[in-house]
Amino acid sequence: MGRFFLIGFMGAGKTTVGQELAKKTNSQFYDTDLIIEQRFNKKIAQLFDDLGEVDFRLIEKNIIDEISNFQNVIISTGGGTPCFHDNIYTMLNNGIVIYLEASPETLFKRLENEKLNRPLLRNKSNKELLNFISHSLINRRKFYEKAQIIFNTDDILTKEELILDIDNLITKINNI
Ligand code: S3P
């Protein structure tokens, strides 16, 4: 099946889609945040606190460089991964990049109750959260949209629906 990178904002569904895609395509699934957590034996939020974002982005870059050699893999990345260092080009040069796209409103609904696990969202009110998502998307979209495949997940309301929609994604993959 080759090497596929899932990119997109927090709450886009990268991990859920990645796991399901891996199952359906008999590939190995990797989640870069999880790899980092296991290597450092710390949650991402704790690493952000201990090291700061600059060092976190360097760690993230090293993981992308390393994982870009793995075979037959589906790789879910962190929301910021494609937007720092040259990660988007590393991914584009070494595999198929799939952008899981969703509107700020959809992302807000999915992230509203998930703030604590995510260091960039932790102390935000709901209004600040929606603003943060909208502004970050404006900055990040130019990286995300370099993906070879763009897959919109706005109409997918539950995890179950997301899983059902994987067949449409596989059709898209087979058509490129
Ligand atoms: C981040 C997204 C997170 C994680 C870190 C930073 C970002 O990953 O890498 O909290 O900059 O958007 P998820 O997109 O998997 O939540």
Side-chain angles (χ1 to χ4, degrees), residues 50-168:
D50 292 353
L51 302 176
E53 183 170 355
V54 171
D55 280 1
F56 173 78
R57 297 303 176 192
L58 276 173
I59 295 168
E60 194 175 50
K61 175 199 164 18
N62 289 334
I63 298 288
I64 291 294
D65 289 349
E66 186 185 324
I67 216 165
S68 292
N69 297 308
F70 292 12
Q71 304 293 338
N72 199 28
V73 284
I74 309 284
I75 302 156
S76 165
T77 63
T81 311
C83 318
F84 290 86
H85 300 289
D86 48 6
N87 295 339
I88 186 66
Y89 296 105
T90 306
M91 294 190 273
L92 287 168
N93 290 334
N94 289 289
I96 304 292
V97 181
I98 302 166
Y99 168 30
L100 293 189
E101 179 189 52
S103 71
E105 292 72 22
T106 302
L107 294 170
F108 173 79
K109 276 188 223 139
R110 294 189 194 151
L111 290 170
E112 209 182 343
N113 300 315
E114 290 274 322
K115 285 187 241 175
L116 282 183
N117 302 326
R118 288 170 159 109
L120 296 175
L121 311 180
R122 259 182 310 194
N123 299 317
K124 296 195 175 1
S125 67
N126 279 354
K127 190 171 170 222
E128 286 168 339
L129 176 63
L130 185 58
N131 272 335
F132 175 80
I133 296 170
S134 306
H135 284 104
S136 303
L137 268 182
I138 291 169
N139 292 325
R140 290 182 170 189
R141 199 172 277 144
K142 54 182 175 289
F143 298 98
Y144 293 155
E145 287 179 350
K146 292 192 191 303
Q148 290 100 328
I149 295 177
I150 299 183
F151 190 69
N152 189 286
T153 66
D154 276 323
D155 292 334
I156 303 170
L157 298 179
T158 61
K159 220 171 191 171
E160 290 70 31
E161 283 179 14
L162 194 62
I163 289 169
L164 283 177
D165 225 38
I166 297 293
D167 289 337
N168 292 332

